[in-house]
Amino acid sequence: MNSTANGLPPKKAKPSRALQFAVAGSVILMIAAGAMFYFASQAAQKKRIANSGNETVVTINAKNCEPNAITVPAGKNAFRIVNASDRAVEWEILDGVLVVEERENIVPGLSQIINANLQPGDYAITCGLLSNPRGTLHVTPTAESDAAAKARPSMVAFIGPLSEYRVYLSTQSSALIRATNDLQQAIDSGDLAQAQKAYAPARAAYQRIAPAAQRLSELDNAINARADYYEKREQDAAFGGFHRIEFGLFSQKSVDGLTPVVQKLQTDIASLKQQLLAQSIAPEQLASMVVRNMRSIAEVRNNGEEERYSHLDVNGFAANLEGTRKVIELLRPLLAKSSGDVLKKIDTASTALDDQLLMLKTADGFKPYDQVSTEQRKQIADKAKALADALDGIDPALGLSGL
Amino acid sequence: MKKSPLALLLTFGVLQTSMSAFAATAPLDLVTPVSDYKIYVTENVDTLAADTQKFTDAIKKGDLATAKKLFPTTRLSYESIEPIAELFSDLDASIDSREDDHENGVKAEDFTGFHRLEYALFSQNTTKDQGVFADKLLADVKELQSRIAGITFPPEKVVGGAAALMEEVAATKLSGEEDRYSHTDLYDFQGNVDGSKKIVDLFKPQLEQSDKAFVAKVEKNFATVDKILAKYKTKDGGYETYDKVKEQDRKALAGPVNTLAEDLSQMRGKLGLN
């Protein structure tokens, strides 16, 4: 702004009287508008605070985050993440190796709010590029969090579903290991066509367990990070995993240099299975994991960024839905007892998304995503969002929210 | 907090558990052993399906000697997962019923499964006309495999299975009634004991938290049973027929087997699952 705080024009200039009035008038208008905006945003912030407890603003810069050490009270917290770097990045809260909450693809110049219901303890923060230093998050206990810990309902009813989900993770990660071995053999024998063919089933196997795998931040990045998360993108030496292989097979159309990449991927996937079986999943996370997975289709991946070289995106979405439906089936008996209406909404939404994806089915897979129309992409996003919203009803229905 | 009926139910569950069980096993600590047990059962039913394929192939080819040889080893994996297999009563009847479960005995039309084939192979000494029973057994085992994949294991059945298996040994193996035509009872005996011990092993960390002495006593009795069974192992890794088991060993087995059945029935309570 050019004028001083009291609304007078700078002394040097000698404008006409009429102009002086005009300037004064517009300054008054701007102050009024500013005041209105201020009160409106204050009101909005108050509302947000009422909805989500405390709000903490974090700015992602090119090489670090500010602040990088945060302390908040336990319970509902909102983090407003402002992306001041020049590329779309992610911000995650980690408990050990596990992701508690995350936001991917925060567009440069914009901000996004992450709501997290935090238990007392010490967390780490991943911030922007994978090479950036990690931040710390200290969550202090409150009277409410102490009381909630004591009031936690008996979990006997969840032993069955959680056990079955662990078995599912075990069998599906074995399937992923086999599919990745097929990929490795095709690459090693120099057979580009065969390797391209082996990529899709390996991705599908990964996407079935992606909701759980993505809790393992570092390992999952090694397996599934996009080129954008590396400083030199496709040319970055650290860029590995599935998408490095995808880049080679579908963009460069060559298996050259992929042998060490696929070997590293095999090692990472073997430890993925191990870690998936070693990490326990709390009952409330079963639903929140698949909610997050569906939201990432609705908000980010519907633009085709995930499989940008192969355009096999729908193959992955369908496998995500399979993994989500596994969770729905496991919780079905509990939901049927107490919350038939929630269950009905979920079933309607999952059928709608399934039908939408089936429309893109071809004889040997799904329509390449670069041939999927904008309207169809929007339909996928809308239906994934509707399913995520319906799945959000699970935890409150089972007495698992606010724990 | 607004509570759903289930949440209320769970809350009452807490009150009840805290009154009835002194052992404080956190329910979610049972997720790992219950799921590991499902993995164990899945592996065993896969083995059962593969073995049953070979066993029924031999019958259909008219290879009596091979069919007889494969009969006891094929059953072994079925016997180790009985607590889960028995959850499906229709399949349990068609796969594993004895002639005396049927009004018309061996002549009953619905007498099928392992023991119907055992009767033909060992009592009538033939594979003639057994193709239809062979096909039925294989189909039933495959159905069992798919039902096991689809069912959520009830934790109380899993934990209760340890005692159920030893009760099964006490009731039908010690008497030698299970494999009355082939006398291969010791294979089944071993299958039941292995299945029971597996459950105890999986829940050992939680059991030891509440009662170390209990675990020590149970393990000692398992060791005694294994030691007696080992005396009847043959060179090819199999077992002698049950008629060779000496009277004093039958008596020596009865003690620890009955004690195990009794002790293991406390596991559910100790793990907060009553």
Side-chain angles (χ1 to χ4, degrees):
Chain A
M1 214 183 286
N2 238 339
S3 45
T4 52
N6 58 9
L8 292 172
K11 276 180 184 168
K12 270 187 193 166
K14 293 208 172 177
S16 74
R17 235 183 145 71
L19 189 60
Q20 281 185 20
F21 278 122
V23 168
S26 68
V27 166
I28 290 167
L29 271 177
M30 281 174 74
I31 290 171
M36 278 170 71
F37 176 76
Y38 174 79
F39 286 116
S41 63
Q42 281 298 96
Q45 181 154 1
K46 261 183 205 156
K47 203 174 154 196
R48 266 200 310 275
I49 288 171
N51 283 341
S52 53
N54 314 290
E55 181 170 305
T56 307
V57 178
V58 179
T59 304
I60 303 181
N61 299 316
K63 302 263 176 185
N64 70 337
C65 277
E66 261 179 280
N68 213 25
I70 306 167
T71 298
V72 296
K76 290 187 176 173
N77 277 279
F79 297 88
R80 171 174 290 278
I81 312 304
V82 182
N83 186 358
S85 78
D86 61 357
R87 67 169 85 174
V89 289
E90 65 177 346
W91 192 85
E92 295 174 327
I93 302 173
L94 301 180
D95 182 4
V97 295
L98 294 178
V99 177
V100 179
E101 285 296 340
E102 68 177 338
R103 189 65 80 236
E104 292 176 302
N105 232 41
I106 305 169
V107 176
L110 292 185
S111 70
Q112 288 229 17
I113 299 223
I114 299 179
N115 288 308
N117 191 3
L118 296 168
Q119 308 281 340
D122 284 302
Y123 302 83
I125 304 288
T126 59
C127 181
L129 292 183
L130 299 174
S131 48
N132 288 354
R134 284 197 172 164
T136 60
L137 172 64
H138 180 63
V139 180
T140 52
T142 62
E144 286 82 15
S145 72
D146 288 345
K150 275 180 200 149
R152 205 174 165 85
S154 164
M155 293 292 156
V156 174
F158 294 97
I159 300 172
L162 287 168
S163 303
E164 287 303 311
Y165 194 67
R166 187 168 176 271
V167 173
Y168 181 73
L169 292 179
S170 169
T171 52
Q172 293 301 322
S173 40
S174 296
L176 174 59
I177 289 171
R178 286 193 298 273
T180 310
N181 290 346
D182 292 345
L183 183 61
Q184 175 251 324
Q185 278 166 18
I187 288 173
D188 280 1
S189 61
D191 189 340
L192 176 66
Q194 189 59 37
Q196 286 178 333
K197 216 175 131 197
Y199 180 77
R203 286 300 289 167
Y206 168 78
Q207 293 286 17
R208 271 181 220 112
I209 54 174
Q214 285 165 5
R215 299 167 73 225
L216 298 159
S217 171
E218 203 163 327
L219 190 53
D220 191 62
N221 278 331
I223 293 169
N224 194 44
R226 269 52 122 200
D228 322 60
Y229 290 150
Y230 299 92
E231 206 177 343
K232 295 176 188 153
R233 302 186 196 254
E234 279 88 354
Q235 270 61 51
D236 201 303
F239 178 42
F242 272 122
H243 297 299
R244 174 65 188 84
I245 292 170
E246 185 201 4
F247 174 66
L249 297 179
F250 295 92
S251 180
Q252 303 188 304
K253 302 214 184 318
S254 161
V255 297
D256 287 352
L258 294 184
T259 296
V261 182
V262 75
Q263 279 171 356
K264 169 77 167 39
L265 181 63
Q266 285 176 305
T267 311
D268 289 338
I269 280 171
S271 56
L272 177 68
K273 178 177 178 181
Q274 219 173 16
Q275 289 202 37
L276 284 176
L277 293 186
Q279 298 295 343
S280 59
I281 295 175
E284 65 273 20
Q285 286 164 346
L286 218 41
S288 69
M289 275 177 351
V290 291
V291 166
R292 193 182 296 162
N293 190 242
M294 285 297 120
R295 288 215 191 285
S296 89
I297 294 179
E299 292 166 9
V300 180
R301 292 186 287 145
N302 73 80
N303 69 12
E305 60 91 38
E306 184 163 30
E307 309 286 352
R308 63 189 68 169
Y309 320 110
S310 66
H311 309 296
L312 285 164
D313 300 78
V314 185
N315 172 64
F317 299 162
N320 284 157
L321 180 59
E322 270 183 65
T324 299
R325 283 187 149 173
K326 181 71 192 180
V327 169
I328 298 170
E329 286 320 305
L330 294 178
L331 295 176
R332 182 177 297 282
L334 297 181
L335 289 168
K337 249 186 242 171
S338 65
S339 320
D341 51 333
V342 173
L343 192 55
K344 212 174 147 196
K345 272 186 206 155
I346 293 170
D347 284 340
T348 307
S350 81
T351 306
L353 179 58
D354 195 24
D355 290 346
Q356 183 67 39
L357 298 177
L358 284 176
M359 281 194 264
L360 301 169
K361 192 106 184 63
T362 59
D364 57 348
F366 292 92
K367 202 169 179 181
Y369 207 61
D370 52 348
Q371 294 169 30
V372 174
S373 70
T374 315
E375 175 51 30
Q376 280 172 320
R377 290 179 179 204
K378 188 178 175 304
Q379 286 288 326
I380 292 172
D382 288 351
K383 280 163 184 164
K385 180 181 183 298
L387 179 53
D389 290 345
L391 292 166
D392 257 336
I394 291 179
D395 283 352
L398 297 181
L400 292 171
S401 54
L403 289 177
Chain B
M1 192 171 74
K2 205 180 134 218
K3 287 213 164 151
S4 67
L6 181 73
L8 285 175
L9 207 74
L10 292 172
T11 313
F12 287 127
V14 177
L15 296 176
Q16 214 176 28
T17 323
S18 60
M19 284 187 289
S20 60
F22 52 91
T25 302
L28 296 185
D29 288 349
L30 303 180
V31 168
T32 297
V34 169
S35 48
D36 282 340
Y37 184 65
K38 175 142 189 183
I39 293 169
Y40 167 81
V41 171
T42 304
E43 283 165 359
N44 272 278
V45 79
D46 289 349
T47 306
L48 175 67
D51 288 352
T52 304
Q53 179 78 58
K54 286 181 206 145
F55 172 58
T56 53
D57 281 352
I59 292 172
K60 292 182 77 176
K61 268 192 280 179
D63 186 346
L64 181 65
T66 304
K68 278 183 168 176
K69 191 167 155 265
L70 294 179
F71 171 78
T73 50
T74 303
R75 287 183 53 72
L76 196 67
S77 34
Y78 185 83
E79 291 290 319
S80 66
I81 60 167
E82 261 193 310
I84 297 304
E86 280 176 354
L87 293 176
F88 310 104
S89 65
D90 57 334
L91 289 180
D92 190 41
S94 65
I95 293 173
D96 198 36
S97 64
R98 263 76 89 185
E99 64 167 270
D100 26 38
D101 294 326
H102 301 272
E103 198 185 339
N104 296 325
V106 287
K107 299 275 178 282
E109 270 188 21
D110 58 350
F111 179 37
T112 60
F114 277 117
H115 297 300
R116 177 64 186 80
L117 290 166
E118 181 198 5
Y119 171 71
L121 298 176
F122 293 90
S123 184
Q124 302 189 304
N125 215 31
T126 181
T127 58
K128 195 169 166 278
D129 300 333
Q130 298 306 301
V132 56
F133 294 115
D135 287 343
K136 168 90 172 116
L137 176 65
L138 186 60
D140 286 341
V141 164
K142 285 185 174 166
E143 172 67 16
L144 177 66
Q145 195 177 20
S146 103
R147 286 201 209 169
I148 285 176
I151 190 184
T152 295
F153 281 18
E156 68 281 3
K157 296 280 182 205
V158 172
V159 171
L165 282 162
M166 295 316 293
E167 282 157 16
E168 165 101 9
V169 171
T172 66
K173 303 302 185 298
L174 287 174
S175 63
E177 68 144 83
E178 171 110 32
D179 299 313
R180 66 189 66 176
Y181 319 112
S182 62
H183 308 294
T184 55
D185 303 80
L186 284 182
Y187 290 84
D188 294 26
F189 203 127
Q190 188 71 60
N192 289 158
V193 171
D194 288 349
S196 176
K197 192 159 180 300
K198 180 74 188 180
I199 296 171
V200 173
D201 285 346
L202 290 175
F203 290 90
K204 190 174 163 178
Q206 290 76 25
L207 288 169
E208 279 193 327
Q209 259 174 23
S210 63
D211 196 345
K212 269 204 154 143
F214 173 83
V215 176
K217 185 184 173 199
V218 164
E219 287 189 331
K220 190 169 159 269
N221 281 319
F222 270 127
T224 309
V225 172
D226 273 338
K227 206 172 147 194
I228 300 172
L229 285 178
K231 284 164 71 174
Y232 295 95
K233 270 211 168 120
T234 55
K235 276 182 195 152
D236 62 354
Y239 285 96
E240 303 275 8
T241 52
Y242 199 64
D243 46 306
K244 304 251 169 60
V245 179
K246 293 188 191 92
E247 191 56 35
Q248 67 185 70
D249 280 335
R250 293 187 189 208
K251 276 187 186 150
L253 280 167
V257 163
N258 283 310
T259 311
L260 277 169
E262 208 178 298
D263 286 349
L264 295 177
S265 68
Q266 300 169 35
M267 264 177 74
R268 277 166 57 161
K270 287 187 184 298
L271 295 172
L273 288 173
N274 269 340

